[in-house]
Amino acid sequence: MRMIDVADTDNNQKVDFEEFVLLMKDADRDGSIQRATVEKKKMEGDNKVDLKKAEQELKKRLGRPNLSRDDLNASVYGNLSAVRIEETPQFVAAKTKEFDTILESTAAAKKANVTLAKEKVPEQLDDRHKLMFLRAELFEAAKAVDRCCRHWDFVLDIFGPEKAFLPLTQEGALRDDLEILKLPVLNDTLMKDDFGQHVLFLDKRSVALTKYEARALCRATFYTFQNRLEEDEEAQKNGVVVQILTPTSPTTWNIKFSKKMLSWIRQGAPVRLACAHMMYPAPFFSIMFRVTRILAGELSSRLKIFGGSESEVMENMKKFGLDRDRIVKNLGGTLVLEREQWLQERADAGK
């Protein structure tokens, strides 16, 4: 991540050609790419999902000897994104109490923004809020607390103290971002794949993202994410899939926006990323992918590239539980998105 800040020498939110060359040279020189490649191979070799072992571990951790193999869905994604845990009231209450206990003992500096949020908007940090983070970490309370702390760090970073605690609505925290909200960057397809994972569409090709400030793009993207999560418990439980139309040129790739969002998704978002489908890569994409893997860290094994003809890509999508009618037209499907209509419906609902 340091090398990205160094490469953007003129701080214009984009990596110019000369900066991009320096970026890759720096990555090669300090070994970042090699380390990322080795780490990815290690993850793929060491962390392949063993359903039998996963079942045993979940039974032990949850104290549920009768957990069914049907409760596990490693699917083609190669992770436990759709693990279904029986959320009895007693189980949820016990885990919420454990969350509270761990948060109480967490260092003051680490939980500073969570503490501030509890003072400013205590109604937002209710048990329902905590449950999202518990679900994201498969009810490992310590990890859920860490994720919650990083989430509020991210909120304060992109909104600032003036707006971070306002309602996440178009008239509240987003009141100065109405035009950027109209940009079809991150879109809710309103669709789920065959595994019950919600599908979002990130368009990095139709909009020249380098024209916009990174934090403003983060706020608009965060709005779409949170609207889905707040109203969809299935998305919280099963995770999300993000389909990405990749940029055609490094000069339109807002790398600081990508850096911030990937960091939040990895460590702070109250949801699990099942997979990112990187669609129709441009010729320069092999270099971009190396940097993206560095940013994605442990999630790099969940980045899947789909190239080739439209018919080939659509055929591959079927293996991932998606037919054309659940894929946006920009990617070769038949689904038409109406961004402004979606925004108006949310505004009418006070969101």
Side-chain angles (χ1 to χ4, degrees):
M1 292 184 186
R2 176 195 61 79
M3 68 181 184
I4 293 169
D5 294 324
V6 171
D8 186 15
T9 54
D10 52 9
N11 197 33
N12 65 351
Q13 306 301 321
K14 64 183 178 181
V15 179
D16 302 322
F17 178 74
E18 293 82 4
E19 295 172 339
F20 196 80
V21 172
L22 289 174
L23 172 67
M24 296 317 301
K25 285 183 178 178
D26 186 43
D28 281 329
R29 188 163 51 245
D30 71 9
S32 298
I33 290 176
Q34 291 87 339
R35 287 195 299 274
T37 302
V38 169
E39 183 62 22
K40 181 174 186 295
K41 288 180 179 178
K42 182 178 183 299
M43 289 170 63
E44 290 174 344
D46 296 345
N47 293 340
K48 287 182 179 178
V49 174
D50 183 330
L51 290 183
K52 198 169 285 187
K53 184 177 179 180
E55 178 187 354
Q56 292 170 350
E57 289 177 350
L58 278 175
K59 284 181 178 180
K60 182 178 178 181
R61 172 148 54 89
L62 302 179
R64 292 176 56 204
N66 297 321
L67 182 71
S68 168
R69 284 289 293 275
D70 292 336
D71 290 332
L72 297 176
N73 177 13
S75 73
V76 290
Y77 294 109
N79 61 68
L80 298 178
S81 291
V83 172
R84 290 174 174 82
I85 296 174
E86 185 181 356
E87 297 181 8
T88 65
Q90 296 82 359
F91 176 77
V92 171
K95 286 296 180 180
T96 303
K97 183 177 180 180
E98 185 181 355
F99 181 104
D100 290 336
T101 300
I102 294 171
L103 181 61
E104 181 67 27
S105 63
T106 299
K110 182 176 181 178
K111 65 179 180 181
N113 287 325
V114 175
T115 302
L116 188 58
K118 288 174 73 174
E119 294 172 359
K120 300 284 188 179
V121 284
E123 70 280 0
Q124 286 191 29
L125 278 80
D126 58 7
D127 288 350
R128 185 170 171 270
H129 183 73
K130 299 167 191 172
L131 182 56
M132 288 198 292
F133 294 99
L134 285 164
R135 285 169 170 160
E137 293 292 354
L138 299 180
F139 287 90
E140 291 193 31
K143 289 184 177 181
V145 168
D146 285 346
R147 184 168 285 269
C148 184
C149 291
R150 294 188 184 108
H151 169 80
W152 281 102
D153 289 345
F154 177 75
V155 172
L156 266 292
D157 176 47
I158 64 171
F159 284 100
E162 302 82 11
K163 296 181 180 178
F165 306 113
L166 294 177
L168 190 67
T169 65
Q170 295 175 48
E171 292 185 350
L174 280 298
R175 63 179 181 239
D176 297 322
D177 296 307
L178 298 182
E179 289 305 311
I180 205 165
L181 273 176
K182 294 178 183 177
L183 297 176
V185 182
L186 183 70
N187 304 271
D188 191 337
T189 69
L190 310 180
M191 294 289 169
K192 295 190 183 329
D193 63 17
D194 287 346
F195 309 105
Q197 295 160 156
H198 198 81
V199 182
L200 300 171
F201 170 52
L202 180 59
D203 190 348
K204 290 191 173 184
R205 187 170 297 184
S206 301
V207 179
L209 297 181
T210 48
K211 292 182 179 180
Y212 304 95
E213 198 268 329
R215 284 184 174 83
L217 290 169
C218 286
R219 291 193 294 271
T221 303
F222 181 80
Y223 175 82
T224 302
F225 250 110
Q226 287 296 110
N227 264 272
R228 170 49 51 189
L229 297 178
E230 291 286 349
E231 63 189 35
D232 187 351
E233 286 200 339
E234 287 304 305
Q236 296 175 26
K237 294 176 181 179
N238 297 339
V240 298
V241 171
V242 181
Q243 294 198 305
I244 305 169
L245 185 57
T246 58
T248 55
S249 166
T251 61
T252 62
W253 179 26
N254 191 322
I255 198 166
K256 291 189 176 181
F257 164 59
S258 297
K259 172 185 172 183
K260 284 183 176 295
M261 288 308 303
L262 270 172
S263 178
W264 176 65
I265 290 170
R266 283 178 61 193
Q267 301 175 327
V271 69
R272 294 186 304 279
L273 175 70
C275 193
H277 299 167
M278 311 184 85
M279 316 284 281
Y280 304 106
F284 90 101
F285 181 76
S286 60
I287 300 175
M288 173 187 169
F289 185 59
R290 293 177 183 178
V291 179
T292 303
R293 283 197 315 197
I294 294 171
L295 297 178
E298 70 281 356
L299 295 182
S300 62
S301 62
R302 301 186 195 179
L303 306 179
K304 310 293 183 183
I305 302 175
F306 297 91
S309 67
E310 182 179 297
S311 59
E312 289 172 331
V313 171
M314 291 300 99
E315 191 61 33
N316 277 326
M317 284 294 95
K318 292 180 181 178
K319 302 173 186 176
F320 283 72
L322 289 167
D323 292 315
R324 280 182 182 266
D325 61 349
R326 286 181 282 177
I327 299 173
V328 299
K329 288 192 72 173
N330 310 55
L331 298 175
T334 60
L335 183 63
V336 177
L337 298 178
E338 298 291 349
R339 177 72 179 178
E340 294 200 18
Q341 179 182 328
W342 180 83
L343 285 170
Q344 188 58 56
E345 290 172 353
R346 313 232 82 63
D348 292 343
K351 297 182 179 180

